[in-house]
Amino acid sequence: MNALIIEDEKLVALELASSIAEVDPALNIIGTVGSVKTAIRWFSENAEPDIIFADVQLSDGVSFRIFEQFTLSCPIIFTTAYNEYAIQAFKVNGIDYLLKPVDWDELKQAISKAQSVIKAKSNQAFDVQKLLDSLNMPITAKTTYKEHFLGNARNSWVPIRVADIAYFTRDQLNFMVTNGNERYIVDYDTLDEIEELLDPNQFYRANRHCIVNINAVQSVKGLANLKLSVRLKSPNHQFDIEISRDKAPSFKKWLEK
């Protein structure tokens, strides 16, 4: 069987290819592409592989954009630190979402699942669009994002422009904090709901308790444990945001867009 790796970090791609060879020596890596643009060109010029190993966050966008261009029947194993809420959505479709650094046993299990899908393909085609739907990411339909949120302060509702929001945070209730350090309650049950309404190029889910606006970031400091500490611009500079070791690479890519 032939496999394609979609990964923009060369060392990570090499390590993944080595792990795949250990798990299943019969699985042939026919190529590695490192961006949405090159992946689209690759699929335009080559036959569909049997399995795809894909990072979500690439240097020029999310890999889901690739699947807008092509209707693929092969199973996809995502290997990334991107958005943990998607993990269960992938599992109900029999395809794994492996968090970096990829665990060898989890990779072996994911490949086994993918091979089962391939064997069953003669009876029922593997529906990639169903995967996207299960993620609540109808990419072709979702082209606009919220421009305002209603904030509640002292029982008064105030419309706040999204561009004026420095970050969202969770502390029993969901709050949004403006660039001027004004704090408002937001009437949503979870930060996941809020995240889906925001442009991912402008806002990043830093951790379970915070979504940050790129325009609010003053500086980023590396910590000894490979975590990151994000300092916001004044007057929000006293609210530091911690980025985990696993999410640090995708956060850096987001800052460079």
Side-chain angles (χ1 to χ4, degrees), residues 192-208:
D192 288 347
E193 293 179 64
I194 296 173
E195 182 182 9
E196 291 180 359
L197 302 173
L198 299 170
D199 184 351
N201 290 317
Q202 185 177 2
F203 286 87
Y204 183 86
R205 182 66 176 272
N207 51 52
R208 293 181 180 179

Side-chain angles (χ1 to χ4, degrees), residues 55-198:
D55 192 359
V56 171
Q57 194 71 43
L58 302 175
S59 59
D60 59 346
V62 293
S63 58
F64 296 119
R65 286 174 48 199
I66 301 165
F67 311 131
E68 293 181 72
Q69 304 293 323
F70 304 93
T71 301
L72 304 176
S73 62
C74 63
I76 304 168
I77 298 172
F78 290 94
T79 57
T80 181
Y82 185 83
N83 283 351
E84 294 181 359
Y85 71 87
I87 297 176
Q88 292 303 316
F90 276 104
K91 287 187 180 294
V92 300
N93 288 284
I95 298 302
D96 257 318
Y97 186 103
L98 306 181
L99 294 178
K100 295 178 179 178
V102 175
D103 179 82
W104 192 90
D105 289 331
E106 291 181 352
L107 177 63
K108 181 177 181 180
Q109 185 179 18
I111 292 175
S112 178
K113 289 181 181 180
Q115 290 171 337
S116 296
V117 170
I118 294 169
K119 291 178 181 178
K121 194 163 61 173
S122 59
N123 297 323
Q124 182 177 4
F126 188 78
D127 190 350
V128 173
Q129 187 58 50
K130 185 178 179 181
L131 263 182
L132 299 179
D133 292 342
S134 71
L135 279 171
N136 293 320
M137 292 182 181
I139 297 174
T140 56
K142 189 172 182 178
T143 56
T144 59
Y145 303 94
K146 279 187 74 69
E147 296 181 358
H148 296 82
F149 281 87
L150 278 179
N152 188 336
R154 295 179 292 276
N155 295 322
S156 296
W157 292 100
V158 181
I160 304 295
R161 290 195 317 147
V162 168
D164 294 330
I165 300 171
Y167 63 93
F168 294 85
T169 186
R170 174 78 180 177
D171 183 11
Q172 295 184 337
L173 297 173
N174 290 317
F175 293 88
M176 61 181 173
V177 181
T178 69
N179 295 325
N181 201 23
E182 297 169 317
R183 187 179 176 96
Y184 297 91
I185 296 173
V186 191
D187 191 19
Y188 287 87
D189 292 332
T190 67
L191 284 183
D192 288 347
E193 293 179 64
I194 296 173
E195 182 182 9
E196 291 180 359
L197 302 173
L198 299 170

Side-chain angles (χ1 to χ4, degrees), residues 215-235:
N215 295 320
V217 175
Q218 175 68 41
S219 61
V220 180
K221 180 181 179 181
L223 303 178
N225 54 6
L226 299 182
K227 295 181 180 180
L228 300 176
S229 178
V230 180
R231 174 62 58 89
L232 300 184
K233 296 177 181 177
S234 179

Side-chain angles (χ1 to χ4, degrees), residues 10-68:
K10 291 183 178 179
L11 288 178
V12 174
L14 288 172
E15 291 176 359
L16 178 59
S18 177
S19 296
I20 292 170
E22 291 179 9
V23 171
D24 187 353
L27 196 55
N28 178 37
I29 306 298
I30 58 173
T32 300
V33 294
S35 67
V36 173
K37 183 177 179 180
T38 54
I40 290 175
R41 183 168 64 248
W42 191 95
F43 281 107
S44 298
E45 299 172 353
N46 296 273
E48 178 180 322
D50 297 302
I51 302 176
I52 297 173
F53 296 84
D55 192 359
V56 171
Q57 194 71 43
L58 302 175
S59 59
D60 59 346
V62 293
S63 58
F64 296 119
R65 286 174 48 199
I66 301 165
F67 311 131
E68 293 181 72

